[in-house]
């Protein structure tokens, strides 16, 4: 496909004209640079604000003003059941049954609550296998859960590392490691997409192998929800959680999501309970005995945070209109165009811009992670100064995520022009 890409403004505009999702760009607010929209490639960190967010928030503030406590039942979107309005769209987005998902809390909090139910070390089956360099919050969560059970993370937490000279993991190596850990393995906990390398993991096969050795498989989908075409139910994942402020455009600190596979819903699993997880038919009897909802809602602890949910509601509605399959189809092209553009710039200046994200589209989402040998941090600063939003992750990666909902082929082309100008400065300095 990349052989057909052209690095001209005309070509990029033509691609945008043919893009069935192009109108969505207009539904977002872009930071401005020099009087025009910045090139925003950090939707993997904080998605842009949907224009509809302000009115959605105002609706709740107005209903609060008008109804006070009665807003729980009289608001346009009654607060008592607000989270239920998010269920159907969430289920479609992650490939789940409605009863398997709930929107609640924050991501790391959800990870902890799910680990309480699904990490239950017993006998020699105590280990958790995770990907290389997981997001630090996940490492802290896993290690603290292991300690909570009186175990030592040095023994119980196993982190995969790539082969010497490679940046990402081979699926076969992951499967082999699971087989090798065998009956010492309690849980596989992977990101859907690794935040650093941008590698997407084969959740179906990982889950299958985990189950084969008698372990469970859970996923942190922070970088996968709204990015990949997920099928959590069909893949038989045991549980998953994600945040809504990255690809899901629901604002800083936005409310998070959780998935529990249907086969666990009726089981009497240990959990940390709260009143919002109690069967809603009898919740207000305020009885002392906890009787959980027989759905993922049974993991809720507190009542729904309506203000962040108001933003999440309109953001999910955009995904429903766009459709994750169409988004994914555009995303594969857009990211492939960016990859070709980065290579084109590298070749033009004879510098090494190494894309460490897999080239195989099945093993990545939107994001490309680039090692700019000898130019890293400086190149990042120069791009930033010219209105290109990308980010820098220690020790030495520049991450760029063109998001199919609001980024364009022209964004990618312009990014390439600016990248080329910045590289030229560095080459000049080194000469
Ligand atoms: C962004 C991210 C987090 C952040 O956790 P919060 O609880 O939302 O602050 C956690 N894990 C992963 C993999 C992430 O990418």
């Amino acid at each position: 496909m990349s052989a057909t890409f052209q690095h001209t403004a005309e070509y990029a505009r033509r691609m945008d004209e043919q893009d069935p999702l192009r109108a969505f760009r207009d539904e977002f607010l872009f930071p401005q640079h020099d009087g025009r929209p910045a090139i925003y490639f950090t939707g993997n960190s904080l998605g842009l604000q949907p224009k509809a967010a302000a009115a959605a928030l105002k609706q709740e503030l107005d209903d609060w003003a008008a109804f006070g406590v009665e807003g729980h039942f009289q608001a346009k979107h009654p607060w008592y059941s607000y989270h239920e309005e998010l269920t159907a769209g969430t289920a479609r987005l992650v490939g789940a049954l409605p009863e398997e998902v709930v929107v609640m809390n924050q991501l790391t909090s959800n990870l902890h609550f799910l680990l309480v139910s699904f990490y239950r070390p017993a006998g020699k089956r105590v280990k958790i296998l995770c990907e290389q360099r997981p997001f630090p919050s996940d490492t802290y969560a896993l290690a603290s859960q292991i300690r909570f059970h009186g175990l030592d993370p040095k023994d119980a937490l196993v982190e995969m590392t790539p082969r010497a000279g490679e940046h990402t993991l081979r699926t076969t190596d992951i499967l082999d490691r699971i087989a090798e850990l065998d009956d010492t393995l309690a849980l596989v906990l992977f990101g859907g997409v690794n935040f650093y390398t941008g590698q997407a993991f084969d959740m179906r096969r990982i889950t299958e192998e985990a189950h084969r050795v008698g372990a469970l498989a859970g996923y942190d989908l922070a970088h996968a929800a709204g990015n990949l075409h997920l099928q959590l139910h069909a893949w038989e994942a045991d549980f998953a959680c994600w945040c809504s402020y990255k690809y899901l455009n629901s604002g800083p600190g936005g409310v998070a999501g959780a998935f529990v596979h249907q086969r666990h819903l009726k089981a009497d699993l240990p959990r940390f309970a709260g009143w919002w997880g109690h069967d809603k038919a009898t919740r207000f009897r305020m009885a002392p005995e906890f009787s959980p909802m027989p759905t993922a809602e049974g993991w809720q602890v507190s009542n729904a945070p309506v203000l962040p949910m108001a933003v999440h509601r309109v953001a999910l509605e955009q995904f429903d209109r766009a459709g994750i399959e169409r988004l994914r189809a555009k995303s594969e092209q857009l990211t492939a165009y960016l990859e070709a553009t980065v290579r084109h710039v590298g070749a033009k200046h004879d510098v090494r811009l190494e894309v460490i994200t897999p080239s195989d589209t099945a093993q990545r989402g939107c994001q490309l992670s680039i090692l700019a040998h000898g130019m890293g941090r400086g190149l990042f600063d120069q791009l930033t100064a010219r209105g290109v939003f990308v980010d820098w992750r220690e020790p030495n990666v520049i991450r760029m995520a063109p998001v199919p909902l609001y980024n364009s082929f022209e964004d990618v082309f312009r990014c390439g022009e600016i990248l080329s100008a910045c590289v030229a400065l560095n080459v000049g300095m080194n000469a």
Side-chain angles (χ1 to χ4, degrees):
M1 183 197 284
S2 63
T4 68
F5 288 133
Q6 296 164 27
H7 305 287
T8 65
E10 296 70 43
Y11 171 80
R13 282 193 205 114
R14 213 160 51 239
M15 291 296 283
D16 286 332
E17 278 159 24
Q18 292 164 11
D19 169 14
L21 301 174
R22 67 184 175 283
F24 281 94
R25 182 178 174 88
D26 230 24
E27 297 187 19
F28 288 90
L29 295 163
F30 281 74
Q32 302 290 303
H33 180 82
D34 279 349
R36 61 189 293 198
I39 297 169
Y40 196 82
F41 284 173
T42 43
N44 57 345
S45 194
L46 185 74
L48 288 180
Q49 182 182 147
K51 287 178 181 168
L57 271 173
K58 184 151 187 309
Q59 177 76 52
E60 303 316 328
L61 293 173
D62 288 350
D63 286 352
W64 181 15
F67 303 118
V69 70
E70 295 302 329
H72 282 295
F73 297 98
Q74 292 186 15
K76 182 172 177 202
H77 302 277
W79 305 330
Y80 178 73
S81 50
Y82 206 99
H83 61 282
E84 294 173 13
E85 292 195 33
L86 310 175
T87 303
T90 299
R92 283 189 284 272
L93 189 71
V94 299
L97 304 174
E99 71 204 61
E100 293 174 320
V101 295
V102 61
V103 172
M104 60 180 188
N105 309 323
Q106 301 277 311
L107 169 55
T108 310
S109 313
N110 286 346
L111 180 59
H112 274 298
F113 286 122
L114 291 165
L115 288 169
V116 165
S117 298
F118 296 105
Y119 175 57
R120 290 182 293 147
K124 63 176 181 171
R125 197 181 281 287
V126 299
K127 294 192 177 171
I128 302 178
L129 179 68
C130 64
E131 80 226 62
Q132 99 276 21
R133 211 198 285 268
F135 193 82
S137 194
D138 296 38
T139 312
Y140 306 150
L142 294 173
S144 65
Q145 288 273 342
I146 288 168
R147 283 194 204 95
F148 181 73
H149 287 280
L151 300 165
D152 186 345
K154 280 208 291 294
D155 309 319
L157 187 57
V158 183
E159 190 175 317
M160 292 246 12
T161 42
R163 294 186 186 191
E166 299 186 7
H167 294 290
T168 52
L169 296 170
R170 299 191 192 190
T171 304
T172 52
D173 289 350
I174 299 170
L175 302 180
D176 287 349
R177 196 81 175 95
I178 293 171
E180 201 180 288
L181 290 167
D182 198 22
D183 60 358
T184 67
L185 187 63
L187 174 69
V188 179
L189 194 291
F190 262 56
V193 175
N194 180 265
F195 85 101
Y196 187 80
T197 63
Q199 179 177 22
F201 297 107
D202 191 332
M203 290 176 255
R204 186 183 62 78
R205 290 174 70 197
I206 291 172
T207 303
E208 192 177 78
E209 187 63 7
H211 289 172
R212 197 188 62 75
V213 303
L216 297 179
Y219 298 95
D220 181 332
L221 304 175
H223 284 266
N227 183 14
L228 302 181
H229 183 194
L230 300 166
Q231 294 182 280
L232 297 179
H233 178 79
W235 295 340
E236 308 248 321
D238 292 286
F239 67 93
C241 47
W242 55 91
C243 55
S244 68
Y245 49 82
K246 290 172 179 166
Y247 291 104
L248 297 182
N249 311 318
S250 301
V255 65
F259 163 91
V260 176
H261 198 279
Q262 187 182 36
R263 68 179 166 279
H264 298 301
L265 295 177
K266 305 276 185 302
D268 188 19
L269 291 168
R271 70 185 85 193
F272 288 169
W275 73 318
W276 229 247
H278 189 90
D279 185 1
K280 69 182 169 190
T282 56
R283 185 181 293 149
F284 279 89
R285 285 187 204 150
M286 306 276 190
E289 217 28 62
F290 177 70
S291 159
M293 303 261 292
T295 68
E297 287 183 42
W299 272 263
Q300 291 177 116
V301 174
S302 296
N303 75 93
V306 166
L307 296 180
M309 281 185 174
V311 181
H312 195 37
R313 186 171 55 75
V314 295
L316 282 175
E317 187 267 330
Q318 288 179 301
F319 273 89
D320 249 349
R321 275 187 289 124
I324 192 70
E325 282 157 62
R326 286 201 300 171
L327 281 166
R328 181 64 184 149
K330 175 178 172 186
S331 177
E332 287 180 9
Q333 273 200 312
L334 200 60
T335 293
Y337 187 40
L338 178 63
E339 185 179 27
T341 300
V342 170
R343 291 196 198 292
H344 176 72
V345 171
K348 184 165 141 197
H349 297 283
D350 196 21
V351 294
R352 205 156 157 232
L353 297 172
E354 185 186 4
V355 176
I356 63 168
T357 308
S359 279
D360 174 9
T361 50
Q363 289 188 65
R364 70 184 186 195
C366 307
Q367 174 187 326
L368 293 183
S369 301
I370 298 161
L371 287 181
H373 297 270
M375 298 181 284
R377 178 83 215 195
L379 186 60
F380 163 74
D381 289 337
Q382 290 161 344
L383 288 168
T384 304
R386 286 160 183 76
V388 181
F389 281 69
V390 292
D391 71 18
W392 173 257
R393 283 290 175 269
E394 296 293 342
N396 57 356
V397 141
I398 294 175
R399 302 189 308 172
M400 301 186 174
V403 167
L405 200 51
Y406 50 72
N407 284 126
S408 63
F409 288 85
E410 195 178 357
D411 281 341
V412 172
F413 170 74
R414 283 177 57 209
C415 173
E417 293 294 286
I418 297 170
L419 179 64
S420 179
C422 295
V423 169
L425 287 175
N426 285 276
V427 173
M429 280 180 330
N430 293 343

